[in-house]
């Protein structure tokens, strides 16, 4: 996986996560910025996972196939599930839930890179 | 009965309609975050244990079985907190606390039996020590939302 891309993704997720925590501290619930950010990042994760699966099927030898697949699935599903779980909570805590999803994604992306790289 | 600092951002709804003295929902407000974190750990421990048991069970059967056990505990706790099953929640979160402290200690005393990190190894060091803080948060939250007579 492209190192720069991974760093950008992890930083984007972390920044969005911290943004949601700040907005939550200010007493606000998730707004359009966070949701659109989540959408863009989730889409990126999906594209990345598809590319990775294709590469895995055709050539690349990852250190641990099953682990990589699970991390990749997690990276794709985390934000959509996070947004859904956060959406029903109409208070600042919905923002915190989203923040947890973003920060978890940052960790997952970094782990994904480690497992891919071998 | 909001917390200080909540201001006016909580609309009255079914969550607040519990009779005076009744238990508050464990999955509303901050509880939503608690359930979310338990969900993340249930999946993460479950996936890790699944891969370990499926591919390398012979290496460390004890550690990987405990790994699977922890995943089950997290899943039950997440479901219990999410669906307001308070007794199940108390039981599972307590088991979780005992588990992380016990397994954490054992993993330090017998490192040869724990070649691969599990969620509770070294008190959850591989997961930012969240596994040792989480049950305490869980117990506090259950206490906070208990029925008051």
């Amino acid at each position: 996986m492209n190192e720069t891309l991974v760093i950008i993704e992890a930083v984007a997720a972390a920044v969005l996560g911290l943004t949601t925590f700040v907005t939550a501290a200010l007493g606000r619930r998730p707004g359009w910025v966070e949701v659109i950010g989540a959408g863009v990042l989730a889409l990126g994760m999906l594209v990345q996972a598809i590319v990775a699966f294709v590469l895995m099927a055709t050539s690349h030898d990852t250190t641990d196939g099953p682990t990589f697949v699970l991390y990749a699935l997690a990276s794709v599903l985390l934000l959509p599930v996070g947004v859904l779980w956060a959406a029903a909570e109409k208070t600042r805590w919905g923002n915190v839930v989203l923040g947890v999803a973003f920060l978890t994604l940052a960790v997952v992306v970094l782990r994904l890179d480690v497992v891919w790289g071998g | 009965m909001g917390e200080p600092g909540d201001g006016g951002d909580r609309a009255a709804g079914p969550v607040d309609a519990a009779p005076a003295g009744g238990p508050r929902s464990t999955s509303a407000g901050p509880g939503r975050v608690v359930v979310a974190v338990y969900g993340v750990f249930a999946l993460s421990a479950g996936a890790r244990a699944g891969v370990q048991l499926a591919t390398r069970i012979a290496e460390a059967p004890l550690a990987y079985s405990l790994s699977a056990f922890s995943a089950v505990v997290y899943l039950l706790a997440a479901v219990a907190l999410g669906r307001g099953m308070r007794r199940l929640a108390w039981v599972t979160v307590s088991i979780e606390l005992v588990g992380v402290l016990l397994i954490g200690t054992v993993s330090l005393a017998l490192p040869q039996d724990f070649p691969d990190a599990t969620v509770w190894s070294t008190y959850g060091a591989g997961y930012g020590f969240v596994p040792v803080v989480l049950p305490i948060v869980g117990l506090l939250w259950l206490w906070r939302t208990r029925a008051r007579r």
Side-chain angles (χ1 to χ4, degrees):
Chain A
M1 286 173 66
N2 187 320
E3 290 299 318
T4 327
L5 185 61
V6 167
I7 305 257
I8 292 174
E9 290 166 351
V11 169
V15 167
L16 280 165
L18 290 172
T19 312
T20 58
F21 287 151
V22 169
T23 8
L26 293 173
R28 296 213 289 269
R29 49 198 245 205
W32 286 113
V33 173
E34 290 95 342
V35 175
I36 290 175
V40 168
L41 212 47
L43 205 57
M45 292 296 116
L46 182 61
V47 169
Q48 181 175 263
I50 292 174
V51 170
F53 288 150
V54 169
L55 282 175
M56 264 182 78
T58 57
S59 58
H60 191 99
D61 208 14
T62 63
T63 47
D64 192 346
T67 304
F68 181 81
V69 169
L70 289 173
Y71 272 120
L73 281 175
S75 74
V76 171
L77 295 172
L78 252 177
L79 288 181
V81 170
V83 168
L84 286 173
W85 186 246
E89 177 65 29
K90 309 265 179 243
T91 68
R92 66 173 70 185
W93 297 105
N95 241 334
V96 179
V97 169
L98 208 49
V100 167
F102 276 126
L103 290 186
T104 308
L105 183 68
V107 170
V108 166
V109 161
L110 292 173
R111 290 290 309 157
L112 196 62
D113 187 47
V114 166
V115 175
W116 177 263
Chain B
M1 212 178 177
E3 310 130 275
D6 237 18
D9 66 346
R10 290 194 64 183
V15 162
D16 300 301
R24 284 167 52 201
S25 167
T26 48
S27 65
R32 205 111 184 131
V33 180
V34 177
V35 174
V37 178
Y38 269 99
V40 166
F41 272 83
L43 290 172
S44 134
R48 173 157 273 200
V51 170
Q52 288 168 341
L53 289 173
T55 61
R56 330 187 254 284
I57 184 168
E59 277 178 27
L62 171 67
Y64 299 160
S65 303
L66 290 170
S67 197
F69 175 71
S70 72
V72 170
V73 171
Y74 281 124
L75 182 63
L76 288 175
V79 168
L81 288 165
R83 305 188 67 90
M85 299 158 73
R86 300 189 57 85
R87 216 167 308 156
L88 181 62
W90 275 111
V91 169
T92 50
V93 174
S94 303
I95 291 177
E96 179 200 348
L97 181 61
V98 170
V100 66
L101 292 176
L102 195 62
I103 306 308
T105 310
V106 170
S107 69
L108 287 175
L110 302 170
Q112 67 278 9
D113 286 327
F114 290 80
D116 202 16
T118 62
V119 188
W120 288 345
S121 306
T122 326
Y123 311 111
Y127 290 79
F129 291 106
V130 175
V132 75
V133 170
L134 187 61
I136 298 172
V137 169
L139 291 173
L140 283 173
W141 180 240
L142 280 168
W143 178 256
R144 190 95 198 268
T145 54
R146 76 194 188 284
R148 292 176 179 84
R149 280 165 210 34

